[in-house]
Structures are given as structure tokens and as C-alpha cells.
């Protein structure tokens, strides 16, 4: 059985284009998360991050949208890839990332949900506080 993760994260004083670049640019992604990445930022391109995440880019709209297949190394071979949709928009005070991740295996749902906060949004906030 699978579940869906939905998160909305606001970053004060940060343009959505900056948030988009932070995710898709390999150097910025690595600097912000503190982990190694391998990113081919084009439709069909592969990505690998944090020593166990991998997938392919399905759609990219610069500064607005990223859609990926996504899986973690802890998933079973028979688990389907999840589909990750990241949308980047403006707010009155900065930028927003809206995340929807479908097909997350039930047994790792909470770990993945928490992992986004721990390995991405919390680290992004600290990184952006010093690199905006």
C-alpha cells in the first residue's frame, strides 16, 4: 500500500526562482543539504542525492515546477517509483515550495515525510539565512 506526502513550506525574503535553483542546481543543492548529489537538470536526466535517493526528471518549468520519479534505497524492488511534484510560487513575504509525493510505501511514509523537513527544509532555512 502507498500513501501521499503533502507539504507547504514558506521562506521569507526568498524569491521562488532562488528556491527552484537551490533544488535543481547540483552545486547549490549539495551546499544547502550538506550531501553529495548527481543531477542532470533536464527532462529525462537522472538525479541521485543524500546517498540513497534516485530518479529521473519528468518535467521542468524553470523557476516554477519540477516533476521527478523518486525512490529511496530502502525501498523494495517491487515498490513502485513515487512521483514527486515541487511547485515554486511567490507569497507576500517571499517564496513557497509546495511538495506532493505520491506512491510512497506505507512502511516508510513517516520517515520520508520527516526526511523532507530534516534533510531539506530545515537545512535550506539555515543555508538561506547565510547565502541569500
Amino acid at each position: 500500500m502507498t500513501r501521499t506526502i503533502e507539504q507547504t513550506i514558506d521562506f521569507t525574503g526568498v524569491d521562488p526562482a532562488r528556491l527552484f535553483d537551490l533544488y535543481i542546481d547540483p552545486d547549490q543543492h549539495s551546499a544547502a543539504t550538506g550531501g553529495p548529489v548527481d543531477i542532470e537538470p533536464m527532462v529525462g536526466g537522472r538525479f541521485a542525492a543524500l546517498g540513497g535517493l534516485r530518479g529521473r526528471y519528468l518535467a521542468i518549468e524553470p523557476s516554477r515546477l519540477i516533476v521527478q520519479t523518486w525512490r529511496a534505497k530502502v525501498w523494495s524492488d517491487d515498490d513502485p517509483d513515487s512521483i514527486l511534484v515541487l511547485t515554486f510560487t511567490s507569497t507576500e513575504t517571499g517564496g513557497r515550495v509546495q511538495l506532493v509525493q505520491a506512491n510512497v510505501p506505507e512502511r516508510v511514509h513517516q520517515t520520508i515525510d520527516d526526511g523532507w523537513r530534516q534533510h531539506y527544509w530545515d537545512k535550506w532555512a539555515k543555508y538561506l539565512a547565510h547565502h541569500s
Side-chain angles (χ1 to χ4, degrees):
M1 193 157 158
T2 63
R3 293 186 56 196
T4 298
I5 295 170
E6 295 183 55
Q7 297 180 358
T8 299
I9 306 87
D10 290 341
F11 293 91
T12 302
V14 182
D15 186 83
R18 173 81 166 105
L19 298 170
F20 176 92
D21 290 343
L22 200 55
Y23 190 84
I24 205 163
D25 178 86
D27 294 332
Q28 292 184 58
H29 192 124
S30 181
T33 62
V37 297
D38 183 11
I39 295 175
E40 298 172 331
M42 65 185 108
V43 173
R46 297 176 189 264
F47 81 91
L50 301 176
L53 309 176
R54 60 185 163 83
R56 288 186 175 273
Y57 289 94
L58 300 176
I60 299 171
E61 289 182 30
S63 300
R64 298 189 54 210
L65 175 76
I66 296 170
V67 181
Q68 299 174 314
T69 64
W70 196 99
R71 68 185 300 113
K73 71 178 178 181
V74 298
W75 295 9
S76 302
D77 289 342
D78 60 344
D79 287 328
D81 287 349
S82 69
I83 301 298
L84 173 67
V85 179
L86 297 170
T87 307
F88 303 85
T89 56
S90 294
T91 66
E92 289 184 17
T93 60
R96 173 175 289 158
V97 179
Q98 291 177 285
L99 174 149
V100 177
Q101 186 173 5
N103 290 339
V104 177
E106 175 76 33
R107 71 185 175 288
V108 295
H109 176 268
Q110 192 61 54
T111 301
I112 301 298
D113 189 40
D114 293 342
W116 280 108
R117 288 177 182 85
Q118 178 184 0
H119 298 291
Y120 280 86
W121 317 135
D122 292 348
K123 289 184 178 186
W124 278 25
K126 290 176 186 171
Y127 178 82
L128 289 166
H130 296 95
H131 299 93
S132 318

